[in-house]
Amino acid sequence: MSFTTTISAIELNQHNNDPDWVIIDARFKLAKPDQGRMDYEHAHIPGAVYAHLDHDLSGPIIKGVTGRHPLPSVEKISKVFSNFGINSRVQVVSYDDVGGALAAVRVWWLLRWLGHEAAAVLDGGWQEWLRRGRAVSSGNETHKPRKFTSHPRNELIVSAEEVEAVIRHETGEALDPSLKAAFPAVLERFPQTRVELFVRTLKDALADVNDWGRLAYLIETNSLPSLAVMLAWRPGLLPALLPELE
């Protein structure tokens, strides 16, 4: 069985010593770029390797052209995943300490983009692992490199122009009244145009998940960072919808 969206701490603990599983610690602080690595070296899930958002998971910044964390090239990220010991047989689990809202979901999406379906985000992240009293390790860990073969799915990418067009209603769709009624918390928090984009994205993200009940619960309890794994099907939409989470 492959995990393709989220995985619980209990399920991950059952596979902690599996040689065909790779755990990626993606903790990162935007204001302190080196803090995540220091936190990892101090304590992490046993066997986890560390992925740095700036150095490993992003491409070069071009002033006036890109944002802070542009997509890496296929060649670069494929090399990173190869060095982490990932091939087509490997189950990958990523985690961070902000509910998956930052770099953990980026790892997940990058793998999905390159055709690797067996990737999941740890539900509850680092805090949930600690809350359950699971073992931790310190120092730096590595895996024997494997050949990561990419199969890019570029249909998952949208341009900034496409996002802007939707926000400006040039290509927008009407918000389904039933969905509008289901998500009052979103309507209160975001402008109408962003709500339409938000709900359209969620519909796409959950097309093969069928978990609207959990989704509604997360929204109504204001657990919006937990939605990042669902929103990340389309890079660029998360900062457009939730700019404070960039």
Side-chain angles (χ1 to χ4, degrees):
M1 172 185 175
S2 294
F3 294 87
T4 59
T5 53
T6 61
I7 184 173
S8 71
I10 294 174
E11 291 167 322
L12 177 57
N13 190 60
Q14 294 170 351
H15 294 274
N16 200 229
N17 295 313
D18 193 319
D20 286 330
W21 282 53
V22 169
I23 305 170
I24 298 177
D25 185 317
R27 284 177 285 175
F28 188 82
K29 298 289 188 295
L30 291 172
K32 298 180 179 180
D34 294 327
Q35 185 65 49
R37 183 178 294 279
M38 290 190 291
D39 291 342
Y40 163 80
E41 292 177 350
H42 176 71
H44 57 260
I45 294 175
V49 296
Y50 182 72
H52 193 286
L53 176 59
D54 289 346
H55 304 155
D56 298 318
L57 307 177
S58 301
I61 296 173
I62 302 175
K63 188 175 181 179
V65 177
T66 69
R68 285 188 289 182
H69 301 107
L71 279 181
S73 67
V74 171
E75 293 74 20
K76 174 184 175 176
I77 195 61
S78 295
K79 183 176 180 180
V80 168
F81 289 150
S82 292
N83 289 337
F84 286 165
I86 302 171
N87 63 16
S88 61
R89 301 190 307 275
V90 168
Q91 170 70 57
V92 182
V93 176
S94 60
Y95 70 92
D96 57 30
D97 55 5
V98 287
L102 197 58
V105 75
R106 189 178 181 93
V107 172
W108 176 85
W109 186 87
L110 287 169
L111 287 162
R112 301 280 297 199
W113 169 45
L114 297 181
H116 190 90
E117 298 291 324
V121 174
L122 177 60
D123 191 4
W126 174 241
Q127 291 91 333
E128 177 65 9
W129 186 264
L130 293 178
R131 188 183 73 80
R132 292 190 171 274
R134 303 302 183 189
V136 299
S137 296
S138 60
N140 188 55
E141 300 197 49
T142 60
H143 290 297
K144 182 178 179 180
R146 291 171 167 168
K147 175 64 175 178
F148 181 86
T149 302
S150 64
H151 302 283
R153 301 169 59 197
N154 289 326
E155 72 275 11
L156 298 181
I157 297 176
V158 295
S159 68
E161 291 76 16
E162 289 176 289
V163 174
E164 185 178 15
V166 174
I167 292 175
R168 291 183 176 180
H169 267 198
E170 294 173 6
T171 59
E173 294 179 3
L175 184 65
D176 185 324
S178 64
L179 296 179
K180 181 176 179 179
F183 303 120
V186 175
L187 292 171
E188 291 175 3
R189 187 168 179 183
F190 301 108
Q192 179 68 19
T193 52
R194 287 187 172 179
V195 173
E196 293 179 11
L197 187 58
F198 180 85
V199 174
R200 288 176 57 204
T201 306
L202 294 179
K203 289 175 70 176
D204 289 343
L206 293 174
D208 63 350
V209 177
N210 192 27
D211 196 4
W212 281 96
R214 175 168 171 74
L215 177 60
Y217 168 78
L218 290 172
I219 293 177
E220 295 300 333
T221 56
N222 210 30
S223 302
L224 291 175
S226 300
L227 297 175
V229 69
M230 302 176 186
L231 287 170
W233 278 90
R234 296 188 180 180
L237 291 187
L238 184 59
L241 294 166
L242 308 176
E244 70 272 22
L245 295 182
E246 199 284 338

